Amino acid sequence: MSAPPAIALQTGSESLGVDPAMLVSAAGVLVAAYVLARVVSYVLSTAAERSARRRITIKMFIPLTKVLIYGTAVYLVLGPLFRLSAAQLLAVSGLVGAALGFGLRDLFGGVVGGLVLVVEKPYQIGDKVTVGEHYGEVTGIGLRSTTLVTPDDTAVVVPNDAMFTSNVANANDGRPEMMVVVEVAVARTPTSRGRRR
């Protein structure tokens, strides 16, 4: 009774052209990509913590390296699995990239904003900045967003692409001192008119 399903399964796999050894090698490539991504992330994080000046720049490259590693793994798996030529695989990856681009355009806008932050450095951690309607101290700069802590101790996460659509004001621009404008109200003193001696 168990023989007919095995024969049906075998003919089904033959009709699809899927070789079990190919599936095992595809799984091996994906596992190797996962391990490599973890190792590269650990190495880059360790290097970022040891270099105070380049910490943010190094941390920005962690998601990019993961995307490159996983993209290469998918390319190596899909090519032999579906027996696509290089031109077909390039066309499919272009279509998938376009679909992801339309679906995740805000995320990609934040990533591009993060890369621009690395290059232009309009602010850094510790600066007092105003981004759009939010004012606070920069406590974290990521690839997708920047974290500000407002004067009332509220953490605000601002997408990095906000720097393309709104003004960015930096009060101290990396310096430890900052000019603070304080309004002082002075009470009027009563005049001496009308007093008798």
Side-chain angles (χ1 to χ4, degrees):
M1 287 208 134
S2 60
I7 292 170
L9 181 63
Q10 184 179 6
T11 55
S13 65
E14 285 175 0
S15 66
L16 288 175
V18 177
D19 185 20
M22 190 182 300
L23 290 176
V24 170
S25 67
V29 167
L30 293 176
V31 168
Y34 174 76
V35 170
L36 181 63
R38 295 291 298 251
V39 168
V40 168
S41 287
Y42 176 75
V43 168
L44 288 176
S45 294
T46 304
E49 295 304 322
R50 289 185 180 169
S51 173
R53 293 186 66 194
R54 303 187 190 278
R55 185 168 82 78
I56 297 170
T57 306
I58 294 172
K59 283 196 176 263
M60 294 277 191
F61 286 106
I62 293 174
L64 292 177
T65 55
K66 284 183 177 180
V67 167
L68 287 175
I69 290 170
Y70 288 131
T72 304
V74 168
Y75 175 79
L76 292 174
V77 167
L78 290 183
L81 191 62
F82 293 115
R83 295 183 181 161
L84 299 174
S85 67
Q88 290 172 331
L89 195 57
L90 187 62
V92 167
S93 63
L95 289 173
V96 169
L100 285 174
F102 283 121
L104 302 173
R105 65 179 177 267
D106 292 336
L107 178 64
F108 286 132
V111 170
V112 170
L115 293 176
V116 171
L117 279 174
V118 169
V119 175
E120 291 187 359
K121 298 183 179 176
Y123 52 81
Q124 56 189 334
I125 293 178
D127 285 356
K128 305 280 189 179
V129 298
T130 303
V131 180
E133 60 189 35
H134 303 291
Y135 170 77
E137 180 181 351
V138 178
T139 58
I141 301 175
L143 188 62
R144 190 190 62 81
S145 61
T146 297
T147 305
L148 306 176
V149 175
T150 62
D152 62 349
D153 206 30
T154 302
V156 179
V157 178
V158 180
N160 286 336
D161 62 342
M163 64 180 291
F164 298 132
T165 58
S166 59
N167 294 330
V168 177
N170 193 338
N172 57 336
D173 197 24
R175 293 185 295 272
E177 67 277 348
M178 176 176 85
M179 183 177 76
V180 178
V181 178
V182 179
E183 293 184 11
V184 178
V186 179
R188 292 178 56 187
T189 59
T191 60
S192 59
R193 276 188 294 163
R195 290 188 180 176
R196 291 184 182 177
R197 294 188 179 187

